[in-house]
Amino acid sequence: MSAIVNGYLDRLDKKLHEKNKINEYFEKAEKAIGVKRVYIAVGLMSLWALYMILGRGAQLICNLVGVGYPAYVSMHALETSSKEDDTKWLTYWVTYACFTILDFFCDFIVSFIPFYWLLKCLFLIWCFVPVANNGSNILYNRIIRPLFLKNRKGIDDVLNKAASGAAGLAKDAAGKLVTGKSE
């Protein structure tokens, strides 16, 4: 078990030594307090996890992580000419939408799981983490896409009927507004 943990700590330490703005702050903190940046990061993640379990506003933080960050990087993806990043984020949003619908119907479970917001936030991070087989790719390719392909025609039929019905209602309402007649 400790070999697995050490492997994760080594990978995290390597990531924390890459050149970027966030790691500059970790470097400054490491020099200022004399603690390795990997331990600072683990400490911050532990505090965040504890707050997500016990603190107020965990739902807001979960939404910022699961919606705010992906929306921001999706906008960046739209501004590039690469189709690959668009596909990555569209896959995330489809997975997020399916999870949100499922989550709505399981809302009563929230009161029984003391660390629900932490688990949900970790799930959403797993869905967009920048690796080839992140959660959204796995869930989309193994569950969502096969279900969609199997049921596409039926879903399209239902949506077309609903659109026709809505168009008919809108036309009737517009006609009544123009003529001033009501039944």
Side-chain angles (χ1 to χ4, degrees):
M1 181 71 162
S2 67
I4 295 171
V5 171
N6 286 335
Y8 282 120
L9 288 175
D10 288 342
R11 287 182 16 206
L12 176 60
D13 193 45
K14 286 178 184 169
K15 284 286 184 191
L16 291 170
H17 281 85
E18 293 175 356
K19 294 291 180 200
N20 62 48
K21 194 70 171 167
I22 292 174
N23 289 343
E24 289 176 20
Y25 294 115
F26 276 106
E27 182 180 8
K28 288 177 184 177
E30 182 178 46
K31 287 178 182 176
I33 61 177
V35 175
K36 287 185 175 183
R37 64 183 83 179
V38 69
Y39 298 126
I40 296 170
V42 169
L44 289 172
M45 287 187 280
S46 298
L47 286 173
W48 170 77
L50 188 62
Y51 182 81
M52 292 299 289
I53 295 169
L54 302 173
R56 293 177 105 29
Q59 183 178 4
L60 173 64
I61 292 170
C62 186
N63 286 335
L64 288 172
V65 169
V67 176
Y69 172 74
Y72 179 75
V73 292
S74 294
M75 291 178 68
H76 274 280
L78 289 171
E79 297 303 320
T80 67
S81 59
S82 170
K83 183 180 183 267
E84 186 177 308
D85 56 358
D86 297 352
T87 301
K88 173 189 173 179
W89 288 105
L90 279 171
T91 303
Y92 172 80
W93 288 113
V94 168
T95 304
Y96 179 83
C98 292
F99 173 75
T100 301
I101 291 167
L102 181 66
D103 188 43
F104 174 80
F105 289 106
C106 298
D107 191 43
F108 66 92
I109 294 173
V110 173
S111 61
F112 298 111
I113 301 175
F115 17 88
Y116 173 78
W117 295 111
L118 172 64
L119 294 174
K120 181 176 179 178
C121 200
L122 290 173
F123 169 78
L124 294 173
I125 291 169
W126 174 65
C127 283
F128 67 68
V129 69
V131 295
N133 281 326
N134 63 21
S136 59
N137 281 333
I138 292 169
L139 294 172
Y140 179 79
N141 288 312
R142 291 187 184 169
I143 298 169
I144 298 168
R145 185 171 186 266
L147 281 171
F148 169 73
L149 294 174
K150 180 181 175 185
N151 298 296
R152 178 194 295 191
K153 181 165 180 4
I155 294 168
D156 286 346
D157 290 345
V158 168
L159 290 174
N160 287 335
K161 286 179 186 175
S164 295
L169 287 174
K171 184 178 178 183
D172 289 347
K176 290 178 182 176
L177 285 173
V178 170
T179 61
K181 295 180 183 176
S182 63
E183 293 179 22

